[in-house]
Amino acid sequence: MKKIIYFITLLFLVGCVDLSENMYNDLGKDNYYQTEQEYDAAFMNQYAFLRTMYAWNVFYLQEITTDEACLPQKGRDGYDGGIYQRMHWHTWTDQDVIINGAWQELFKAVGFCNQVLNDLNNSRSDILPENKKKLYIAESRALRAFFYSMLVDMFGNVPIVEKVSELNPPTKTRTEVFNYVEKEIAEVKDQLLRSTDTGRRFTQEAALALLSRLYLNAEVYTGTSRLDDCISVSQTLLQKGYQLESTWDAPFAWNNENSKENIWVIPNDEIVANEMSVLFYRNIHWSQRSQWDWKNPNGGWNGVCTVREFIETYDITHDRRCKYDPQNGMYGQFMWGPQFDLSGNPILGTNEYAGQQLDFTLDLPDMVNNKENAGARNIKYKVKVGAQGMENDFALFRIAEINFNLAKATLRKSNEVDSKALEGINKIRTRAGVSTYATGELTLDELYREKGREMCYETLRRTDMIRFGRFIQPMWDKNYTDKETINLFPIPLQATKLNPELKQNPGYTK
């Protein structure tokens, strides 16, 4: 799975849902599916969409709009038309490229799933065995449902499209989209592979993890609580044999393909599938190549930062998840302070601090007025020394999250945390080197803070902030957002122009 060969996609999404075929050679679908291996390649290509969306626009929308990440202007760098400032200030519009990019990525993925399902349904039994066909159909439907779970979270009211040729489909309500995701997963989950067969595909356990997340947020999505269902599927999943790793960083390490904690991941390879390397080099300063002997042409963008207010939710002195300072034997996920190369020599700045040691500060005045050293840098997914790209598999679901989901659902329902969930969260605390919780100490507010510390930069923060009512609250350089409609992103202008049947989300003008 680390070295999947992806065939060239000739199908592109037009007008949100219409797939058109552009032929660049004489290889079309009518003469492509001649062997079982060609079906395998087409089927596996659905997974390729995950790397792009989680490296770029989906990551941006879920992280730099929150209190745990930002991409501020630093001197002459990082302005880019003010797009990142609008993301942090919650002043985005339906014309912002990041929002449009996430919409396009998700509907391209849906469209490709639909194309693969169409081809599978029309496959020849003498080429594709029936048992593999049934599995591929179930898994393709599950992947499509996963993409729709992201659409229901970020955009809410969207079309439900199951056919390649469907033009101008109407908007469905957020509740209808939620129900669709639930139905699809319920119908196919028992036909999927189990985690004992593979950890890199959408398995039965991944389906349970998706349902756990979906039910936890059901009241936000539909207005109706589904806490009992969240509790049930979370308890079931916790019995499936997953184990929390003994160290906090094992699920994210460059050799994490056999992690006992990760339920479903996006496979990455240093050479042939390293698009997600941006999760590393987007954060580090361009002078820091020598700190890892980084061989990638992208040496560092000096972009995404974390502010003091979030860093200080940790026990900075004791929490192993916090500071990264190899000079003092600390291997957390946030870099601040003086920076050194592999030999212990100072790394020098290049702009405002040219010729001086690069010294990251926790303090950022605002989103505009910063120097090149502003802000702590997150390197949760550290690369191996001398690497050309990020080989770390990206965790989409891990068992740590299920402990938090179960704890939240039981606390919300009965003000008493599930004992197994508390045990899991205390194991998370113990491996981080900080004190455990007694039963009464794990309040909803403390659970919110601890999940933020444990799962930062895992594209969950915006969803969690909305569920806790925190997304519209003031944070660092953002004032109170005076309308809760900001909890949904607008349907992009480009999409509404192409499809007149789309309805804009409340709070935005079409």
Side-chain angles (χ1 to χ4, degrees):
M1 287 299 301
K2 279 283 197 175
K3 304 208 174 184
I4 299 167
I5 300 174
Y6 298 105
F7 74 99
I8 298 173
T9 302
L10 299 177
L11 302 169
F12 297 87
L13 198 64
V14 177
C16 308
V17 294
D18 178 33
L19 285 170
S20 300
E21 193 169 13
N22 296 303
M23 300 305 298
Y24 297 102
N25 54 39
D26 60 357
L27 183 62
K29 68 176 183 178
D30 292 335
N31 60 356
Y32 177 75
Y33 293 113
Q34 302 300 311
T35 67
E36 183 178 341
Q37 290 70 34
E38 289 173 346
Y39 277 103
D40 294 340
F43 166 78
M44 287 306 303
N45 202 39
Q46 295 171 105
Y47 285 91
F49 290 94
L50 292 166
R51 277 202 294 276
T52 300
M53 62 181 65
Y54 274 94
W56 293 102
N57 295 306
V58 167
F59 175 88
Y60 278 144
L61 294 187
Q62 290 292 92
E63 291 295 343
I64 67 171
T65 62
T66 76
D67 63 343
E68 72 181 18
C70 60
L71 209 168
Q73 184 175 355
K74 303 180 192 74
R76 65 192 183 192
D77 301 306
Y79 177 63
D80 289 349
I83 177 62
Y84 307 121
Q85 295 166 8
R86 292 193 295 277
M87 291 297 109
H88 181 78
W89 293 333
H90 293 187
T91 56
W92 51 72
T93 73
D94 62 357
Q95 299 180 58
D96 276 316
V97 294
I98 293 174
I99 293 173
N100 185 58
W103 173 276
Q104 288 191 347
E105 286 164 359
L106 286 164
F107 270 110
K108 281 181 181 179
V110 167
F112 195 86
C113 289
N114 287 339
Q115 181 65 65
V116 169
L117 282 164
N118 179 75
D119 295 342
L120 289 170
N121 282 317
N122 293 315
S123 65
R124 289 168 44 187
S125 58
D126 61 325
I127 296 178
L128 185 66
E130 190 64 24
N131 61 336
K132 182 178 280 190
K133 173 181 176 178
K134 289 181 179 178
L135 171 62
Y136 280 2
I137 288 174
E139 199 168 331
S140 298
R141 289 175 64 187
L143 281 170
R144 183 176 61 188
F146 175 74
F147 295 132
Y148 264 109
S149 75
M150 298 164 70
L151 284 162
V152 78
D153 182 75
M154 291 188 287
F155 296 100
N157 311 291
V158 300
I160 296 174
V161 187
E162 295 183 297
K163 297 179 180 178
V164 172
S165 59
E166 188 173 354
L167 293 173
N168 297 333
T171 298
K172 299 294 184 182
T173 67
R174 202 177 195 186
T175 298
E176 289 176 306
V177 182
F178 173 95
N179 292 340
Y180 174 74
V181 174
E182 181 186 24
K183 175 188 73 70
E184 287 291 286
I185 293 297
E187 290 181 3
V188 303
K189 66 181 178 64
D190 292 335
Q191 303 170 45
L192 302 172
L193 296 172
R194 295 171 298 176
S195 61
T196 51
D197 301 314
T198 175
R200 302 298 178 266
R201 301 259 292 274
F202 197 99
T203 61
Q204 294 178 21
E205 292 78 10
L208 290 174
L210 175 56
L211 289 175
S212 174
R213 188 183 292 179
L214 191 73
Y215 291 142
L216 184 67
N217 293 287
E219 191 166 1
V220 173
Y221 298 158
T222 71
T224 301
S225 173
R226 298 288 296 274
L227 293 179
D228 285 334
D229 292 316
C230 178
I231 292 168
S232 177
V233 297
S234 299
Q235 289 175 334
T236 299
L237 187 48
L238 287 174
Q239 301 298 322
K240 294 292 184 180
Y242 292 97
Q243 300 176 38
L244 292 165
E245 298 281 3
S246 59
T247 61
W248 78 266
D249 55 346
F252 319 106
W254 64 264
N255 56 348
N256 66 338
E257 58 267 19
N258 295 314
S259 171
K260 299 172 291 186
E261 184 168 330
N262 292 337
I263 299 169
W264 184 38
V265 301
I266 303 173
N268 289 288
D269 182 89
E270 179 188 345
I271 306 300
V272 301
N274 64 11
E275 300 97 317
M276 296 192 80
S277 301
V278 68
L279 294 178
F280 176 75
Y281 65 71
R282 180 166 51 210
N283 305 342
I284 67 172
H285 191 280
W286 38 78
S287 293
Q288 288 183 281
R289 181 187 298 275
S290 61
Q291 198 160 348
W292 288 273
D293 190 24
W294 180 236
K295 305 295 188 185
N296 193 288
N298 289 291
W301 286 4
N302 200 33
V304 176
C305 303
T306 298
V307 300
R308 175 185 290 274
E309 287 85 345
F310 187 81
I311 296 290
E312 291 182 345
T313 66
Y314 291 83
D315 179 342
I316 293 176
T317 303
H318 301 103
D319 198 322
R320 299 186 186 108
R321 299 169 296 189
C322 191
K323 189 169 185 179
Y324 180 76
D325 182 6
Q327 298 291 310
N328 292 298
M330 303 170 75
Y331 296 93
Q333 57 193 312
F334 294 102
M335 294 187 298
W336 73 89
Q339 300 300 303
F340 300 86
D341 65 18
L342 285 170
S343 300
N345 302 309
I347 293 175
L348 305 182
T350 56
N351 291 352
E352 296 91 352
Y353 292 93
Q356 303 177 52
Q357 184 172 15
L358 185 63
D359 188 349
F360 291 133
T361 173
L362 286 178
D363 295 309
L364 294 89
D366 51 41
M367 283 292 293
V368 180
N369 301 290
N370 304 286
K371 297 180 180 180
E372 65 179 303
N373 68 330
R377 310 306 168 86
N378 187 291
I379 50 167
K380 193 167 197 170
Y381 285 89
K382 301 178 185 69
V383 298
K384 65 180 179 181
V385 172
Q388 298 183 48
M390 189 177 109
E391 191 164 344
N392 322 49
D393 289 347
F394 183 85
L396 291 170
F397 294 126
R398 57 189 180 100
I399 206 66
E401 178 189 352
I402 307 306
N403 283 286
F404 284 111
N405 291 356
L406 181 55
K408 169 66 188 302
T410 52
L411 274 173
R412 180 68 74 184
K413 185 174 173 58
S414 62
N415 292 319
E416 187 172 331
V417 66
D418 177 89
S419 59
K420 189 167 182 63
L422 180 61
E423 178 185 351
I425 291 171
N426 278 336
K427 286 182 180 178
I428 290 169
R429 297 276 294 175
T430 298
R431 72 184 182 185
V434 291
S435 61
T436 59
Y437 297 117
T439 301
E441 293 176 330
L442 189 55
T443 63
L444 284 170
D445 284 343
E446 179 57 23
L447 181 69
Y448 171 76
R449 288 189 288 270
E450 179 60 19
K451 188 178 181 185
R453 290 185 286 260
E454 174 64 21
M455 306 200 73
C456 69
Y457 281 62
E458 294 186 50
T459 66
L460 290 174
R461 188 59 169 179
R462 172 188 157 273
T463 304
D464 287 343
M465 292 189 78
I466 290 171
R467 193 176 61 254
F468 275 89
R470 307 291 180 87
F471 196 58
I472 63 173
Q473 297 297 319
M475 55 182 178
W476 182 51
D477 190 30
K478 182 191 84 72
N479 297 323
Y480 179 81
T481 305
D482 62 0
K483 53 184 181 179
E484 291 192 10
T485 51
I486 210 73
N487 288 339
L488 282 177
F489 293 111
I491 309 302
L493 177 64
Q494 182 176 338
T496 58
K497 282 185 174 181
L498 289 169
N499 181 0
E501 298 299 318
L502 290 177
K503 294 180 180 179
Q504 185 56 272
N505 283 326
Y508 303 99
T509 58
K510 184 169 182 178

